[in-house]
Amino acid sequence: MLRFSKMHGLGNDFVVLDCRGTPFALDTARIRALADRRTGVGFDQLLSVEPARDPSCAFYYGIWNTDGSPSGQCGNGVRCVAAWLHRAGALALGEDVRLESPSGPVTVRLLAAREITVDMGEPVFAPARIPFAAPAEADRYAIEVDGATLEIGAVSMGNPHAVVMADTLADGAPERLGPALSTHPRFAEGANAGFLRRLDRGHLTLRVHERGAGWTLACGTGACAAMAVLRRRGEVDDSVRVDLPGGALRIDWQGPGHTLWMTGPAAFVFEGEWLD
């Protein structure tokens, strides 16, 4: 019997496991079984809350996709972890707390019980660190995807992202190109493929095909990546609203040399026991 919490951030949904006292012990097959929306519980990502490895952090959280593969970061997920820890009595409102993710520490601040802002670190554009195969760092890259040449931005927010301006594509093209871009060989570890529209300098819309999970209602790191790519090009201001199918996030980034902050909600859905 496995106790869990079901949560979501703007419809990006999670199963959260309390592993503070019992080590995480699910293998790939069991993660996939738990992820099945018909015969399991269903989620976009599985989150484990564990003791921190880094002594400067309060807790560690692990991230797994529906296919059982690990992930380095999850923006909506970290907000849910923070809200879960607050409800468990481990995080106080208004206090900055460092949490340890698979890709390193992040700082969270609870503005309210279910409204969290997160220091996501500085966006990484160096191709080797994304990782993305390119001869040199650039604002834009041409890439062949399923017989089409796309212009993308590439960035890491603790996980790799490819950002495409959707208004350059034919209607329906993202549905075909998203899965192909997520598994493109130039991204050695796969990528989250974001399809972006700029409404004005402070307002974007975005859909994301996540590696290992598919199309989601929201992707927090995807919203960060989209804003960072356009901010680096000088096409948006330093505070932007990003509308996703599940709702809106605020992303704040002053540019290179500064960390990027993401602000948005986290919600509890139900508690349960999985009879494995």
Side-chain angles (χ1 to χ4, degrees):
M1 190 182 301
L2 184 70
R3 292 195 58 79
F4 65 88
S5 300
K6 184 68 183 284
M7 301 186 69
H8 77 89
L10 302 180
N12 185 191
D13 65 331
F14 308 96
V15 160
V16 184
L17 303 181
D18 185 356
C19 299
R20 292 174 296 170
T22 303
F24 181 84
L26 297 184
D27 59 18
T28 298
R30 293 175 73 205
I31 293 172
R32 289 177 174 175
L34 184 60
D36 192 294
R37 295 188 183 277
R38 293 179 177 85
T39 59
V41 179
F43 56 78
D44 290 322
Q45 277 85 28
L46 173 70
L47 305 171
S48 63
V49 182
E50 307 177 31
R53 283 79 154 161
D54 182 340
S56 72
C57 297
F59 297 95
Y60 172 88
Y61 60 97
I63 311 165
W64 287 265
N65 297 311
T66 55
D67 63 1
S69 62
S71 178
Q73 187 54 279
C74 180
N76 291 316
V78 65
R79 296 199 317 277
C80 286
V81 168
W84 187 95
L85 285 166
H86 173 67
R87 194 177 71 166
L91 293 185
L93 288 178
E95 182 180 334
D96 284 5
V97 178
R98 280 165 65 88
L99 300 178
E100 184 184 3
S101 76
S103 61
V106 298
T107 298
V108 300
R109 183 187 309 134
L110 281 82
L111 306 177
R114 299 185 184 182
E115 185 78 5
I116 298 99
T117 189
V118 184
D119 180 348
M120 298 292 291
E122 186 171 353
V124 174
F125 294 96
R129 294 179 58 198
I130 295 175
F132 174 66
E137 184 176 327
D139 288 346
R140 297 171 173 81
Y141 302 94
I143 186 170
E144 297 293 323
V145 183
D146 197 27
T149 301
L150 299 182
E151 183 180 87
I152 68 167
V155 62
S156 173
M157 291 301 312
N159 54 1
H161 290 268
V163 178
V164 184
M165 300 304 296
D167 53 10
T168 65
L169 304 175
D171 290 344
E175 282 71 20
R176 173 175 55 87
L177 296 173
L181 188 53
S182 286
T183 57
H184 197 282
R186 287 181 67 183
F187 288 94
E189 299 175 1
N192 300 297
F195 294 86
L196 169 68
R197 294 182 187 274
R198 187 179 78 107
L199 303 183
D200 58 44
R201 291 188 63 87
H203 194 182
L204 310 175
T205 66
L206 179 70
R207 290 182 62 210
V208 180
H209 185 278
E210 295 192 27
R211 59 173 185 170
W215 295 104
T216 60
L217 290 177
C219 177
T221 57
C224 297
M227 188 275 196
V229 164
L230 293 194
R231 179 66 177 153
R232 189 172 190 253
R233 295 175 183 173
E235 297 180 10
V236 293
D237 296 331
D238 59 10
S239 185
V240 169
R241 170 181 166 137
V242 182
D243 288 341
L244 300 120
L249 294 171
R250 192 183 82 234
I251 311 297
D252 297 282
W253 186 45
Q254 295 179 37
H258 300 273
T259 58
L260 179 150
W261 287 79
M262 170 195 62
T263 304
F268 289 90
V269 184
F270 60 86
E271 307 290 327
E273 295 176 347
W274 184 49
L275 304 177
D276 181 14

